Amino acid sequence: MIDLRIRAATYEDVDGVLAFWKTAAEGTSISDDREGVERLVARDPGALLLAEEAGEPVGTVIAGFDGWRCHLYRLAVRPDRRRLGIGSALLAAAEERFVRLGGRRADAMVLTRNERAHHAWRAAGYGSEEHWRRWVKPLAR
C-alpha cells in the first residue's frame, strides 16, 4: 500500500508540475508553460490535481468543468510508479469533483498513438467515441 496524497495544485507547484510533465506526460500542449498553468490555477483553483508520495509528485490530472462539460486532461503518472493505482486514485478524485460541481459525464483527451493510455482509460470505464473528431484552431496572441 502506498501513502498517496491528492490535492489541488497551487501557484507554488507550477514549476514542479511543468518539470513533472516533461518526464511523465505523453506529448506536449501549447499551454505547457508557466503562464498557461498559472492561468488554469487562477481560473479554476481545484482543477489541477496533484498526487504526491512522500512529498514528491507522482501524478497529475486536470479536471476542468466549464459548468456544462467535465473535461480530463494531462493524466500522467511518474513512469516508475505506474500500475500502483495512482492514476485510478486521480481519476476517482476528479470524478468526485465533477459530481460535487453537478457534472453528468466526463470526457478525456487521449492521444491516438498512446496505446498504453487507451488501456488505462478503458480499464477506468471510459470508452472511445469514434464518431467525434476534435477540431482545433490556434489563437493568435
Side-chain angles (χ1 to χ4, degrees):
M1 180 66 112
I2 61 175
D3 184 21
L4 191 66
R5 176 181 179 225
I6 297 178
R7 64 174 178 84
T10 66
Y11 291 112
E12 291 76 29
D13 297 309
V14 171
D15 291 330
V17 166
L18 289 167
F20 176 79
W21 284 344
K22 287 181 180 178
T23 61
E26 293 289 328
T28 57
S29 167
I30 195 169
S31 300
D32 283 0
D33 57 25
R34 175 172 263 290
E35 182 180 316
V37 179
E38 285 179 344
R39 190 172 37 256
L40 170 66
V41 172
R43 185 187 176 283
D44 191 354
L48 176 53
L49 299 176
L50 180 62
E52 295 176 320
E53 186 180 26
E56 295 295 319
V58 293
T60 64
V61 69
I62 297 173
F65 182 62
D66 61 15
W68 185 46
R69 301 270 175 130
C70 306
H71 304 287
L72 295 161
Y73 309 93
R74 293 315 234 177
L75 176 63
V77 176
R78 200 171 80 191
D80 67 329
R81 303 305 292 156
R82 292 181 179 156
R83 303 202 49 82
L84 298 174
I86 295 167
S88 295
L90 281 163
L91 285 179
E95 292 166 1
E96 289 169 14
R97 176 177 197 269
F98 291 150
V99 169
R100 279 193 317 274
L101 294 172
R104 297 181 181 176
R105 179 182 70 183
D107 63 58
M109 295 295 295
V110 184
L111 292 171
T112 303
R113 71 178 186 269
N114 191 347
E115 289 293 325
R116 181 180 319 148
H118 297 188
H119 296 292
W121 285 103
R122 208 172 287 116
Y126 289 77
S128 176
E129 289 189 337
E130 298 302 325
H131 59 279
W132 292 102
R133 212 36 102 207
R134 180 177 181 214
W135 294 46
V136 299
K137 176 185 175 183
L139 301 175
R141 295 181 59 160

